[in-house]
């Protein structure tokens, strides 16, 4: 009996300790954290430098309400982040998580429109599938049926365009015509909605849980930037999962020439040490809002000094340890090894990703791209098989959340080749057991 409740999962082992890429339960069983929790623990567990920075801050103060005090920790982290953003994005608004960061980005965009006489703009175009958070505002711009459908009557419907899933549509992701094809859907949607009604376009630069590490096709990012600029639509980059080095650069969107107007971050920023998120905006958006009385939005824990001290230490560790470069190197190795597994295990229909945001997707048939029957609950079964072998990976469904099982393999950015070997060995053994089970059930019908 537990008084806690979350989703539908049964009981789990009790966590005892975690260090680097490993975690131990109270029975002494060791797990390799192959998903960094939920793509959170980018610098690994129990980093001594971060713990020391937190202890130091705790000895001074753990809370100073933002309307009563400024804190050194939040000033320093804001200045550090501003230095890591694309030019112009130098205004930072701290929050405690990804959904809060997304809400804050949406609301700043709207507040800017109101402050600049563009009241008619309120629609935020996003993509489907996508995941932007569980609060009602963030959920309204999410495309993932199992999470959105029960709450539809409570949300403002927002326009969606398809995520650029070239691999499913049989298109070549390396062909610029593919990027143009998907990006032009944004222009068509803006025109259909009425350009004066569209406030922003919100995307994950590399898809996270809902699409399974979907990398945009050639030319897509540059073209959506152009389209947004042409119609006065703000580009909001949801870097909650891709930020803080995950894809091999500090922001996922740094890989392309598509500088956003607003960035939202969380997960790897607090890296599992503290609840922390940030919305970082171009100064030109913030100035008119402040001039007209200030941003009508905020959370009690914003800029919490303990969270910011930890976040600053995390970002410093990413730089000092060269973790973006390691994510690129180890990500390339991991992706190549996953492709090796695809050759061996026919149920893997696609392997994709960037840096250490990688995934593979199960298919019943590689040619037709048919998914495994949803009733098999393949993604959860695979996660359980890997977990039993001491390997933690993360899964979701890539076809609007209802079928198309994918597994995210996203270890902390501190991984080395020995860890990658261990991950691949765990996956290989789990895939062998999984294939036997699935084939037996498919045969039985
Ligand atoms: N945006 C993206 C891309 C995410 O992956 C997530 C969480 O998985 C969120 C927003 C919401 O973040 P949180 O769960 O911290 O509220």
């Amino acid at each position: 009996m537990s008084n806690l409740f979350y989703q539908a999962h049964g009981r789990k082992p009790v966590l005892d300790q975690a260090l680097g890429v490993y975690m131990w339960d109270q029975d002494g069983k060791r797990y390799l954290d192959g998903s960094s929790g939920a793509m959170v623990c980018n610098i690994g567990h129990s980093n001594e430098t971060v713990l020391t920075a937190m202890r130091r801050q705790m000895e001074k103060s753990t809370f100073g309400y933002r309307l009563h005090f400024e804190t050194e920790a939040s000033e320093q982290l804001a200045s550090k982040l501003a230095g890591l953003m694309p030019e112009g994005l130098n205004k930072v608004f701290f929050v405690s998580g990804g959904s809060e960061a997304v809400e804050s980005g949406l609301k700043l965009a709207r507040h800017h429109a109101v402050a600049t006489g563009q009241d008619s703009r309120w629609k935020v175009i996003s993509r489907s599938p996508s995941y932007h958070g569980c609060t009602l505002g963030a959920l309204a711009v999410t495309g993932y049926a199992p999470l959105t459908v029960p709450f539809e009557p409570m949300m403002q419907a927002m326009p969606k365009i398809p995520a650029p899933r070239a691999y499913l549509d049989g298109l070549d992701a390396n062909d610029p015509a593919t990027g143009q094809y998907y990006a032009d859907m944004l222009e068509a949607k803006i025109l259909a909605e009425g350009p004066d009604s569209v406030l922003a376009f919100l995307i994950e630069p590399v898809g996270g849980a809902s699409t399974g590490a979907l990398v945009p096709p050639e030319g897509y990012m540059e073209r959506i930037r152009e389209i947004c600029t042409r119609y006065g639509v703000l580009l909001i980059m949801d870097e909650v999962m891709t930020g803080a080095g995950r894809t091999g650069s500090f922001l996922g969107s740094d890989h392309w020439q598509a500088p956003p107007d607003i960035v939202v971050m969380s997960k790897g920023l607090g890296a599992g040490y503290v609840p922390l998120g940030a919305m970082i905006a171009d100064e030109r958006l913030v100035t008119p809002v402040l001039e007209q009385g200030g941003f009508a939005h905020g959370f009690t824990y914003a800029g919490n000094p303990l969270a910011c001290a930890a976040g600053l230490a995390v970002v410093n560790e990413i730089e000092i340890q060269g973790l973006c470069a390691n994510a690129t190197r180890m990500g390339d190795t991991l992706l190549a090894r996953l492709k090796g597994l695809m050759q061996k295990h026919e149920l893997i229909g696609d392997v994709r990703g960037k840096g250490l945001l990688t995934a593979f997707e199960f298919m019943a048939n590689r040619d037709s791209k048919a998914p495994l029957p949803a009733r098999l609950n393949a993604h959860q079964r695979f996660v359980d098989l890997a977990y039993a072998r001491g390997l933690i990976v993360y899964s979701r469904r890539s076809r609007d959340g209802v079928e198309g099982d994918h597994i995210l393999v996203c270890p902390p950015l501190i991984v080395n080749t020995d860890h990658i070997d261990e991950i691949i060995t765990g996956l290989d053994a789990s895939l062998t057991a999984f294939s036997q089970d699935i084939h037996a059930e498919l045969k039985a019908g």
Side-chain angles (χ1 to χ4, degrees):
M1 228 314 258
S2 167
N3 294 109
L4 288 171
F5 89 102
Y6 295 109
Q7 290 155 350
H9 298 303
R11 304 301 301 270
K12 287 282 179 211
V14 179
L15 176 64
D16 184 31
Q17 52 168 320
L19 181 64
V21 303
Y22 294 107
M23 308 180 83
W24 288 263
D25 68 21
Q26 281 186 346
D27 293 329
K29 180 175 168 182
R30 193 183 83 166
Y31 303 79
L32 194 157
D33 186 2
S35 61
S36 309
M39 288 57 84
V40 174
C41 306
N42 285 12
I43 64 164
H45 299 269
S46 306
N47 175 297
E48 197 45 51
T49 307
V50 177
L51 297 181
T52 302
M54 291 173 72
R55 282 186 206 109
R56 275 206 199 111
Q57 181 59 48
M58 267 191 272
E59 278 160 16
K60 289 209 271 182
S61 64
T62 53
F63 187 73
Y65 186 52
R66 76 195 132 83
L67 298 184
H68 301 157
F69 289 103
E70 296 186 358
T71 67
E72 264 179 37
S74 58
E75 282 294 341
Q76 286 174 359
L77 180 57
S79 144
K80 181 87 204 170
L81 287 176
L84 290 165
M85 292 297 122
E87 213 187 319
L89 273 70
N90 59 7
K91 292 291 177 194
V92 181
F93 186 93
F94 286 118
V95 295
S96 304
S99 304
E100 288 187 5
V102 169
E103 295 283 344
S104 305
L106 301 180
K107 285 179 72 177
L108 179 70
R110 170 65 186 165
H111 212 157
H112 168 261
V114 172
T116 53
Q118 304 176 76
D119 293 55
S120 62
R121 290 187 189 267
W122 61 270
K123 294 176 188 167
V124 178
I125 301 177
S126 60
R127 308 187 306 192
S128 191
S130 64
Y131 185 67
H132 296 292
C134 65
T135 52
L136 292 174
L139 201 58
V141 288
T142 285
Y144 199 82
L147 298 176
T148 54
V149 167
F151 306 103
E152 265 166 15
M154 300 168 75
M155 295 189 292
Q156 172 71 58
M158 289 288 183
K160 310 270 184 314
I161 59 170
R165 294 183 297 178
Y167 74 100
L168 269 190
D169 296 334
L171 298 171
D172 176 4
N174 296 319
D175 181 352
T178 304
Q180 177 163 349
Y181 167 74
Y182 289 107
D184 285 352
M185 293 178 183
L186 172 63
E187 182 165 32
K189 187 57 101 182
I190 293 173
L191 292 171
E193 294 289 333
D196 289 348
S197 72
V198 181
L199 178 67
F201 180 45
L202 171 70
I203 58 165
E204 304 159 79
V206 178
S210 66
T211 52
L214 183 74
V215 181
E218 194 63 37
Y220 178 84
M221 295 291 277
E222 292 78 4
R223 191 155 177 98
I224 54 124
R225 174 67 269 185
E226 255 171 55
I227 293 169
C228 286
T229 304
R230 189 172 332 133
Y231 292 97
V233 169
L234 297 176
L235 178 58
I236 307 179
M237 214 56 88
D238 183 342
E239 298 264 8
V240 168
M241 191 181 290
T242 49
R246 172 61 50 196
T247 69
S249 51
F250 189 72
L251 294 180
S253 53
D254 288 342
H255 293 292
W256 297 277
Q257 294 299 314
D261 301 293
I262 297 174
V263 163
V264 296
M265 299 182 68
S266 182
K267 294 190 183 272
L269 184 57
Y273 292 85
V274 285
L276 177 64
M279 182 264 290
I280 307 137
D282 195 305
E283 189 170 11
R284 78 174 204 286
L285 303 180
V286 175
T287 305
V289 172
L290 295 184
E291 279 170 358
Q292 300 211 3
F295 187 24
H297 176 71
F299 298 96
T300 300
Y301 278 88
N304 175 267
L306 180 57
C308 290
L312 181 62
V314 165
V315 176
N316 286 337
E317 281 295 276
I318 292 173
E319 283 188 342
I320 291 163
Q321 292 192 42
L323 295 184
C324 289
N326 197 53
T328 300
R329 262 193 316 271
M330 290 299 112
D332 287 348
T333 305
L334 178 59
L335 204 63
R337 301 285 304 271
L338 291 176
K339 285 181 179 160
L341 289 180
M342 182 171 167
Q343 287 182 347
K344 181 170 171 191
H345 298 279
E346 62 172 12
L347 287 178
I348 299 182
D350 192 50
V351 169
R352 51 187 182 262
K354 198 155 187 70
L356 283 168
L357 180 46
T358 71
F360 56 90
E361 179 167 336
F362 292 125
M363 292 182 195
N365 182 313
R366 282 184 193 167
D367 294 330
S368 70
K369 321 264 185 229
L372 288 170
R375 67 179 157 81
L376 296 180
N377 204 19
H379 69 104
Q380 190 56 50
R381 284 168 64 172
F382 183 81
V383 166
D384 292 344
L385 286 167
Y387 194 87
R389 288 165 176 76
L391 174 65
I392 300 174
V393 287
Y394 191 97
S395 75
R396 281 285 183 273
R397 290 188 144 156
S398 37
R399 314 217 185 159
D400 301 325
V402 291
E403 55 183 6
D405 308 80
H406 64 251
I407 308 296
L408 283 146
V409 188
C410 305
L413 314 184
I414 55 171
V415 278
N416 59 33
T417 46
D418 289 343
H419 300 133
I420 303 280
D421 280 345
E422 202 178 323
I423 291 170
I424 294 298
T425 303
L427 289 175
D428 194 11
S430 310
L431 282 161
T432 301
F434 174 77
S435 303
Q436 280 165 2
D437 284 6
I438 296 291
H439 282 307
E441 288 195 33
L442 286 176
K443 241 189 210 155

